[in-house]
Amino acid sequence: MKLVGVFAATRWECDAVRRAVVVERRMHVGGTRCLVGRRGNSRLFLWRTGVGPVRSGTVSREALAGQPLDLAVSAGFACALAPSQVGELLIGSEVVSLGAAGASSDQAVPCAAPYRAAAVDAARAAGVAARAGRFVTTPRVVWRAEEKRRVAAETGAVGLDMESAAIGAVAAARGVPFLVVRAASDLVDEDLPLDFNLFLSPAGWTSGIVQCLLQPSSLGGLARLRRQTELAAERTVRFWGAFLDAQ
């Protein structure tokens, strides 16, 4: 039986993966809670990491120290940095981290080629559009279209998230094959409805709520983002069903 570990940042992303498996139990691995499910010849371990590289690095480090895996996957949603449709699957060829000094290809974490090919095949079998390419991880939410385009030009990446580089680095250190598969929930040429960085710390929640109240137009944007996220979740469920069935 193949042991697949999936790391997703939020409850909504975890729920999309969970819907593709039969849940067997919940357990703690190295002090980190995970859900265990099964589909076909695979047992899936699903961890909710929280948002950002620090949290995802901590959870994946504890998880891989306590649970042998055949494959570690960074899953969930992402910003598409290449021309794409909402819900399109973005499959990583490698992932780099973008900091103050820019992205360094010398520190790129490669995604396992056989699993990358299997992911492309699974997306095709599920009838979901997909593209493969570089991912970039940032420590903050990139929410303005202008900044998204700048990151795309600097890195040549097809997708952007806040967790994959940290998870990939832990997997590489453990010698575990690594893969990134995320569904596009927002696009390179659109602003997010507000600055979600405000909600990354408890102190920022008040400011975020005030911003929503002062900018009623953001409510329409939030509704649009919710619809896009629901579509990304539906494509995620379809992909995981096809991917696990093929293992």
Side-chain angles (χ1 to χ4, degrees), residues 112-134:
Y115 287 111
R116 183 172 72 244
V120 172
D121 289 343
R124 185 180 301 114
V128 179
R131 70 176 64 219
R134 169 182 278 191

mmCIF file with all atom_site columns, all heavy atoms in Angstrom, residues 112-134:
data_model
loop_
_atom_site.group_PDB
_atom_site.id
_atom_site.type_symbol
_atom_site.label_atom_id
_atom_site.label_alt_id
_atom_site.label_comp_id
_atom_site.label_asym_id
_atom_site.label_entity_id
_atom_site.label_seq_id
_atom_site.pdbx_PDB_ins_code
_atom_site.Cartn_x
_atom_site.Cartn_y
_atom_site.Cartn_z
_atom_site.occupancy
_atom_site.B_iso_or_equiv
_atom_site.pdbx_formal_charge
_atom_site.auth_seq_id
_atom_site.auth_comp_id
_atom_site.auth_asym_id
_atom_site.auth_atom_id
_atom_site.pdbx_PDB_model_num
ATOM 1   N N   . ALA A 1 112 ? 9.141   15.333 -7.843  1.00 0.00 ? 112 ALA A N   1
ATOM 2   C CA  . ALA A 1 112 ? 9.497   14.015 -8.374  1.00 0.00 ? 112 ALA A CA  1
ATOM 3   C C   . ALA A 1 112 ? 8.873   13.827 -9.756  1.00 0.00 ? 112 ALA A C   1
ATOM 4   O O   . ALA A 1 112 ? 7.643   13.851 -9.896  1.00 0.00 ? 112 ALA A O   1
ATOM 5   C CB  . ALA A 1 112 ? 9.040   12.930 -7.413  1.00 0.00 ? 112 ALA A CB  1
ATOM 6   N N   . ALA A 1 113 ? 9.707   13.607 -10.765 1.00 0.00 ? 113 ALA A N   1
ATOM 7   C CA  . ALA A 1 113 ? 9.226   13.539 -12.150 1.00 0.00 ? 113 ALA A CA  1
ATOM 8   C C   . ALA A 1 113 ? 8.175   12.451 -12.378 1.00 0.00 ? 113 ALA A C   1
ATOM 9   O O   . ALA A 1 113 ? 7.170   12.700 -13.058 1.00 0.00 ? 113 ALA A O   1
ATOM 10  C CB  . ALA A 1 113 ? 10.408  13.366 -13.107 1.00 0.00 ? 113 ALA A CB  1
ATOM 11  N N   . PRO A 1 114 ? 8.341   11.233 -11.845 1.00 0.00 ? 114 PRO A N   1
ATOM 12  C CA  . PRO A 1 114 ? 7.311   10.207 -12.097 1.00 0.00 ? 114 PRO A CA  1
ATOM 13  C C   . PRO A 1 114 ? 5.950   10.596 -11.521 1.00 0.00 ? 114 PRO A C   1
ATOM 14  O O   . PRO A 1 114 ? 4.913   10.363 -12.159 1.00 0.00 ? 114 PRO A O   1
ATOM 15  C CB  . PRO A 1 114 ? 7.879   8.960  -11.402 1.00 0.00 ? 114 PRO A CB  1
ATOM 16  C CG  . PRO A 1 114 ? 9.352   9.195  -11.312 1.00 0.00 ? 114 PRO A CG  1
ATOM 17  C CD  . PRO A 1 114 ? 9.493   10.670 -11.119 1.00 0.00 ? 114 PRO A CD  1
ATOM 18  N N   . TYR A 1 115 ? 5.942   11.184 -10.343 1.00 0.00 ? 115 TYR A N   1
ATOM 19  C CA  . TYR A 1 115 ? 4.669   11.597 -9.748  1.00 0.00 ? 115 TYR A CA  1
ATOM 20  C C   . TYR A 1 115 ? 4.094   12.808 -10.462 1.00 0.00 ? 115 TYR A C   1
ATOM 21  O O   . TYR A 1 115 ? 2.869   12.957 -10.558 1.00 0.00 ? 115 TYR A O   1
ATOM 22  C CB  . TYR A 1 115 ? 4.851   11.877 -8.262  1.00 0.00 ? 115 TYR A CB  1
ATOM 23  C CG  . TYR A 1 115 ? 5.035   10.622 -7.440  1.00 0.00 ? 115 TYR A CG  1
ATOM 24  C CD1 . TYR A 1 115 ? 6.255   10.322 -6.840  1.00 0.00 ? 115 TYR A CD1 1
ATOM 25  C CD2 . TYR A 1 115 ? 3.983   9.725  -7.267  1.00 0.00 ? 115 TYR A CD2 1
ATOM 26  C CE1 . TYR A 1 115 ? 6.425   9.163  -6.089  1.00 0.00 ? 115 TYR A CE1 1
ATOM 27  C CE2 . TYR A 1 115 ? 4.139   8.569  -6.518  1.00 0.00 ? 115 TYR A CE2 1
ATOM 28  C CZ  . TYR A 1 115 ? 5.360   8.292  -5.937  1.00 0.00 ? 115 TYR A CZ  1
ATOM 29  O OH  . TYR A 1 115 ? 5.516   7.151  -5.207  1.00 0.00 ? 115 TYR A OH  1
ATOM 30  N N   . ARG A 1 116 ? 4.961   13.680 -10.952 1.00 0.00 ? 116 ARG A N   1
ATOM 31  C CA  . ARG A 1 116 ? 4.474   14.825 -11.729 1.00 0.00 ? 116 ARG A CA  1
ATOM 32  C C   . ARG A 1 116 ? 3.759   14.328 -12.984 1.00 0.00 ? 116 ARG A C   1
ATOM 33  O O   . ARG A 1 116 ? 2.672   14.805 -13.331 1.00 0.00 ? 116 ARG A O   1
ATOM 34  C CB  . ARG A 1 116 ? 5.630   15.744 -12.093 1.00 0.00 ? 116 ARG A CB  1
ATOM 35  C CG  . ARG A 1 116 ? 5.200   16.997 -12.843 1.00 0.00 ? 116 ARG A CG  1
ATOM 36  C CD  . ARG A 1 116 ? 6.348   17.965 -13.002 1.00 0.00 ? 116 ARG A CD  1
ATOM 37  N NE  . ARG A 1 116 ? 7.339   17.518 -13.967 1.00 0.00 ? 116 ARG A NE  1
ATOM 38  C CZ  . ARG A 1 116 ? 8.602   17.223 -13.678 1.00 0.00 ? 116 ARG A CZ  1
ATOM 39  N NH1 . ARG A 1 116 ? 9.043   17.294 -12.440 1.00 0.00 ? 116 ARG A NH1 1
ATOM 40  N NH2 . ARG A 1 116 ? 9.447   16.855 -14.630 1.00 0.00 ? 116 ARG A NH2 1
ATOM 41  N N   . ALA A 1 117 ? 4.361   13.359 -13.665 1.00 0.00 ? 117 ALA A N   1
ATOM 42  C CA  . ALA A 1 117 ? 3.729   12.791 -14.863 1.00 0.00 ? 117 ALA A CA  1
ATOM 43  C C   . ALA A 1 117 ? 2.415   12.103 -14.504 1.00 0.00 ? 117 ALA A C   1
ATOM 44  O O   . ALA A 1 117 ? 1.415   12.214 -15.232 1.00 0.00 ? 117 ALA A O   1
ATOM 45  C CB  . ALA A 1 117 ? 4.686   11.817 -15.540 1.00 0.00 ? 117 ALA A CB  1
ATOM 46  N N   . ALA A 1 118 ? 2.403   11.405 -13.361 1.00 0.00 ? 118 ALA A N   1
ATOM 47  C CA  . ALA A 1 118 ? 1.174   10.737 -12.924 1.00 0.00 ? 118 ALA A CA  1
ATOM 48  C C   . ALA A 1 118 ? 0.082   11.753 -12.610 1.00 0.00 ? 118 ALA A C   1
ATOM 49  O O   . ALA A 1 118 ? -1.106  11.503 -12.866 1.00 0.00 ? 118 ALA A O   1
ATOM 50  C CB  . ALA A 1 118 ? 1.461   9.866  -11.702 1.00 0.00 ? 118 ALA A CB  1
ATOM 51  N N   . ALA A 1 119 ? 0.471   12.902 -12.061 1.00 0.00 ? 119 ALA A N   1
ATOM 52  C CA  . ALA A 1 119 ? -0.506  13.949 -11.756 1.00 0.00 ? 119 ALA A CA  1
ATOM 53  C C   . ALA A 1 119 ? -1.107  14.522 -13.034 1.00 0.00 ? 119 ALA A C   1
ATOM 54  O O   . ALA A 1 119 ? -2.320  14.787 -13.103 1.00 0.00 ? 119 ALA A O   1
ATOM 55  C CB  . ALA A 1 119 ? 0.146   15.047 -10.929 1.00 0.00 ? 119 ALA A CB  1
ATOM 56  N N   . VAL A 1 120 ? -0.281  14.736 -14.043 1.00 0.00 ? 120 VAL A N   1
ATOM 57  C CA  . VAL A 1 120 ? -0.784  15.233 -15.327 1.00 0.00 ? 120 VAL A CA  1
ATOM 58  C C   . VAL A 1 120 ? -1.765  14.230 -15.928 1.00 0.00 ? 120 VAL A C   1
ATOM 59  O O   . VAL A 1 120 ? -2.840  14.597 -16.425 1.00 0.00 ? 120 VAL A O   1
ATOM 60  C CB  . VAL A 1 120 ? 0.385   15.504 -16.295 1.00 0.00 ? 120 VAL A CB  1
ATOM 61  C CG1 . VAL A 1 120 ? -0.140  15.825 -17.694 1.00 0.00 ? 120 VAL A CG1 1
ATOM 62  C CG2 . VAL A 1 120 ? 1.248   16.651 -15.784 1.00 0.00 ? 120 VAL A CG2 1
ATOM 63  N N   . ASP A 1 121 ? -1.417  12.945 -15.869 1.00 0.00 ? 121 ASP A N   1
ATOM 64  C CA  . ASP A 1 121 ? -2.304  11.902 -16.392 1.00 0.00 ? 121 ASP A CA  1
ATOM 65  C C   . ASP A 1 121 ? -3.622  11.854 -15.608 1.00 0.00 ? 121 ASP A C   1
ATOM 66  O O   . ASP A 1 121 ? -4.694  11.671 -16.191 1.00 0.00 ? 121 ASP A O   1
ATOM 67  C CB  . ASP A 1 121 ? -1.614  10.538 -16.314 1.00 0.00 ? 121 ASP A CB  1
ATOM 68  C CG  . ASP A 1 121 ? -0.474  10.396 -17.313 1.00 0.00 ? 121 ASP A CG  1
ATOM 69  O OD1 . ASP A 1 121 ? -0.412  11.202 -18.262 1.00 0.00 ? 121 ASP A OD1 1
ATOM 70  O OD2 . ASP A 1 121 ? 0.359   9.485  -17.129 1.00 0.00 ? 121 ASP A OD2 1
ATOM 71  N N   . ALA A 1 122 ? -3.544  12.006 -14.286 1.00 0.00 ? 122 ALA A N   1
ATOM 72  C CA  . ALA A 1 122 ? -4.754  11.968 -13.462 1.00 0.00 ? 122 ALA A CA  1
ATOM 73  C C   . ALA A 1 122 ? -5.659  13.149 -13.766 1.00 0.00 ? 122 ALA A C   1
ATOM 74  O O   . ALA A 1 122 ? -6.895  13.008 -13.807 1.00 0.00 ? 122 ALA A O   1
ATOM 75  C CB  . ALA A 1 122 ? -4.381  11.947 -11.987 1.00 0.00 ? 122 ALA A CB  1
ATOM 76  N N   . ALA A 1 123 ? -5.082  14.312 -13.958 1.00 0.00 ? 123 ALA A N   1
ATOM 77  C CA  . ALA A 1 123 ? -5.890  15.474 -14.311 1.00 0.00 ? 123 ALA A CA  1
ATOM 78  C C   . ALA A 1 123 ? -6.607  15.241 -15.635 1.00 0.00 ? 123 ALA A C   1
ATOM 79  O O   . ALA A 1 123 ? -7.797  15.548 -15.779 1.00 0.00 ? 123 ALA A O   1
ATOM 80  C CB  . ALA A 1 123 ? -5.002  16.715 -14.397 1.00 0.00 ? 123 ALA A CB  1
ATOM 81  N N   . ARG A 1 124 ? -5.898  14.664 -16.591 1.00 0.00 ? 124 ARG A N   1
ATOM 82  C CA  . ARG A 1 124 ? -6.518  14.369 -17.884 1.00 0.00 ? 124 ARG A CA  1
ATOM 83  C C   . ARG A 1 124 ? -7.658  13.367 -17.714 1.00 0.00 ? 124 ARG A C   1
ATOM 84  O O   . ARG A 1 124 ? -8.742  13.536 -18.286 1.00 0.00 ? 124 ARG A O   1
ATOM 85  C CB  . ARG A 1 124 ? -5.458  13.824 -18.844 1.00 0.00 ? 124 ARG A CB  1
ATOM 86  C CG  . ARG A 1 124 ? -5.960  13.595 -20.256 1.00 0.00 ? 124 ARG A CG  1
ATOM 87  C CD  . ARG A 1 124 ? -4.866  13.059 -21.169 1.00 0.00 ? 124 ARG A CD  1
ATOM 88  N NE  . ARG A 1 124 ? -3.736  13.972 -21.245 1.00 0.00 ? 124 ARG A NE  1
ATOM 89  C CZ  . ARG A 1 124 ? -2.521  13.688 -20.783 1.00 0.00 ? 124 ARG A CZ  1
ATOM 90  N NH1 . ARG A 1 124 ? -2.279  12.518 -20.194 1.00 0.00 ? 124 ARG A NH1 1
ATOM 91  N NH2 . ARG A 1 124 ? -1.545  14.557 -20.889 1.00 0.00 ? 124 ARG A NH2 1
ATOM 92  N N   . ALA A 1 125 ? -7.422  12.334 -16.905 1.00 0.00 ? 125 ALA A N   1
ATOM 93  C CA  . ALA A 1 125 ? -8.453  11.325 -16.671 1.00 0.00 ? 125 ALA A CA  1
ATOM 94  C C   . ALA A 1 125 ? -9.676  11.920 -15.978 1.00 0.00 ? 125 ALA A C   1
ATOM 95  O O   . ALA A 1 125 ? -10.807 11.471 -16.203 1.00 0.00 ? 125 ALA A O   1
ATOM 96  C CB  . ALA A 1 125 ? -7.884  10.178 -15.837 1.00 0.00 ? 125 ALA A CB  1
ATOM 97  N N   . ALA A 1 126 ? -9.447  12.924 -15.129 1.00 0.00 ? 126 ALA A N   1
ATOM 98  C CA  . ALA A 1 126 ? -10.546 13.566 -14.401 1.00 0.00 ? 126 ALA A CA  1
ATOM 99  C C   . ALA A 1 126 ? -11.238 14.653 -15.208 1.00 0.00 ? 126 ALA A C   1
ATOM 100 O O   . ALA A 1 126 ? -12.223 15.239 -14.751 1.00 0.00 ? 126 ALA A O   1
ATOM 101 C CB  . ALA A 1 126 ? -10.021 14.154 -13.092 1.00 0.00 ? 126 ALA A CB  1
ATOM 102 N N   . GLY A 1 127 ? -10.712 14.942 -16.401 1.00 0.00 ? 127 GLY A N   1
ATOM 103 C CA  . GLY A 1 127 ? -11.296 15.984 -17.222 1.00 0.00 ? 127 GLY A CA  1
ATOM 104 C C   . GLY A 1 127 ? -11.039 17.383 -16.704 1.00 0.00 ? 127 GLY A C   1
ATOM 105 O O   . GLY A 1 127 ? -11.850 18.285 -16.896 1.00 0.00 ? 127 GLY A O   1
ATOM 106 N N   . VAL A 1 128 ? -9.877  17.565 -16.053 1.00 0.00 ? 128 VAL A N   1
ATOM 107 C CA  . VAL A 1 128 ? -9.530  18.859 -15.467 1.00 0.00 ? 128 VAL A CA  1
ATOM 108 C C   . VAL A 1 128 ? -8.323  19.436 -16.201 1.00 0.00 ? 128 VAL A C   1
ATOM 109 O O   . VAL A 1 128 ? -7.304  18.748 -16.355 1.00 0.00 ? 128 VAL A O   1
ATOM 110 C CB  . VAL A 1 128 ? -9.198  18.710 -13.963 1.00 0.00 ? 128 VAL A CB  1
ATOM 111 C CG1 . VAL A 1 128 ? -8.806  20.063 -13.370 1.00 0.00 ? 128 VAL A CG1 1
ATOM 112 C CG2 . VAL A 1 128 ? -10.392 18.138 -13.206 1.00 0.00 ? 128 VAL A CG2 1
ATOM 113 N N   . ALA A 1 129 ? -8.420  20.660 -16.650 1.00 0.00 ? 129 ALA A N   1
ATOM 114 C CA  . ALA A 1 129 ? -7.292  21.317 -17.307 1.00 0.00 ? 129 ALA A CA  1
ATOM 115 C C   . ALA A 1 129 ? -6.133  21.438 -16.332 1.00 0.00 ? 129 ALA A C   1
ATOM 116 O O   . ALA A 1 129 ? -6.320  21.692 -15.141 1.00 0.00 ? 129 ALA A O   1
ATOM 117 C CB  . ALA A 1 129 ? -7.710  22.700 -17.808 1.00 0.00 ? 129 ALA A CB  1
ATOM 118 N N   . ALA A 1 130 ? -4.908  21.255 -16.847 1.00 0.00 ? 130 ALA A N   1
ATOM 119 C CA  . ALA A 1 130 ? -3.732  21.300 -15.980 1.00 0.00 ? 130 ALA A CA  1
ATOM 120 C C   . ALA A 1 130 ? -2.531  21.804 -16.762 1.00 0.00 ? 130 ALA A C   1
ATOM 121 O O   . ALA A 1 130 ? -2.461  21.661 -17.985 1.00 0.00 ? 130 ALA A O   1
ATOM 122 C CB  . ALA A 1 130 ? -3.436  19.911 -15.404 1.00 0.00 ? 130 ALA A CB  1
ATOM 123 N N   . ARG A 1 131 ? -1.604  22.389 -16.025 1.00 0.00 ? 131 ARG A N   1
ATOM 124 C CA  . ARG A 1 131 ? -0.316  22.766 -16.600 1.00 0.00 ? 131 ARG A CA  1
ATOM 125 C C   . ARG A 1 131 ? 0.756   22.555 -15.553 1.00 0.00 ? 131 ARG A C   1
ATOM 126 O O   . ARG A 1 131 ? 0.504   22.677 -14.345 1.00 0.00 ? 131 ARG A O   1
ATOM 127 C CB  . ARG A 1 131 ? -0.306  24.218 -17.080 1.00 0.00 ? 131 ARG A CB  1
ATOM 128 C CG  . ARG A 1 131 ? -0.350  25.259 -15.971 1.00 0.00 ? 131 ARG A CG  1
ATOM 129 C CD  . ARG A 1 131 ? -0.237  26.660 -16.548 1.00 0.00 ? 131 ARG A CD  1
ATOM 130 N NE  . ARG A 1 131 ? -1.354  26.986 -17.394 1.00 0.00 ? 131 ARG A NE  1
ATOM 131 C CZ  . ARG A 1 131 ? -1.257  27.691 -18.538 1.00 0.00 ? 131 ARG A CZ  1
ATOM 132 N NH1 . ARG A 1 131 ? -0.072  28.110 -18.950 1.00 0.00 ? 131 ARG A NH1 1
ATOM 133 N NH2 . ARG A 1 131 ? -2.325  27.964 -19.247 1.00 0.00 ? 131 ARG A NH2 1
ATOM 134 N N   . ALA A 1 132 ? 1.946   22.220 -16.006 1.00 0.00 ? 132 ALA A N   1
ATOM 135 C CA  . ALA A 1 132 ? 3.072   21.985 -15.101 1.00 0.00 ? 132 ALA A CA  1
ATOM 136 C C   . ALA A 1 132 ? 4.103   23.090 -15.275 1.00 0.00 ? 132 ALA A C   1
ATOM 137 O O   . ALA A 1 132 ? 4.280   23.640 -16.367 1.00 0.00 ? 132 ALA A O   1
ATOM 138 C CB  . ALA A 1 132 ? 3.703   20.618 -15.367 1.00 0.00 ? 132 ALA A CB  1
ATOM 139 N N   . GLY A 1 133 ? 4.792   23.413 -14.185 1.00 0.00 ? 133 GLY A N   1
ATOM 140 C CA  . GLY A 1 133 ? 5.832   24.428 -14.232 1.00 0.00 ? 133 GLY A CA  1
ATOM 141 C C   . GLY A 1 133 ? 6.311   24.767 -12.839 1.00 0.00 ? 133 GLY A C   1
ATOM 142 O O   . GLY A 1 133 ? 5.921   24.127 -11.846 1.00 0.00 ? 133 GLY A O   1
ATOM 143 N N   . ARG A 1 134 ? 7.132   25.769 -12.756 1.00 0.00 ? 134 ARG A N   1
ATOM 144 C CA  . ARG A 1 134 ? 7.712   26.180 -11.478 1.00 0.00 ? 134 ARG A CA  1
ATOM 145 C C   . ARG A 1 134 ? 6.657   26.804 -10.567 1.00 0.00 ? 134 ARG A C   1
ATOM 146 O O   . ARG A 1 134 ? 5.764   27.512 -11.021 1.00 0.00 ? 134 ARG A O   1
ATOM 147 C CB  . ARG A 1 134 ? 8.830   27.189 -11.741 1.00 0.00 ? 134 ARG A CB  1
ATOM 148 C CG  . ARG A 1 134 ? 9.340   27.894 -10.501 1.00 0.00 ? 134 ARG A CG  1
ATOM 149 C CD  . ARG A 1 134 ? 10.405  28.923 -10.804 1.00 0.00 ? 134 ARG A CD  1
ATOM 150 N NE  . ARG A 1 134 ? 11.710  28.301 -10.949 1.00 0.00 ? 134 ARG A NE  1
ATOM 151 C CZ  . ARG A 1 134 ? 12.856  28.989 -11.011 1.00 0.00 ? 134 ARG A CZ  1
ATOM 152 N NH1 . ARG A 1 134 ? 12.833  30.306 -10.972 1.00 0.00 ? 134 ARG A NH1 1
ATOM 153 N NH2 . ARG A 1 134 ? 14.004  28.364 -11.120 1.00 0.00 ? 134 ARG A NH2 1
#
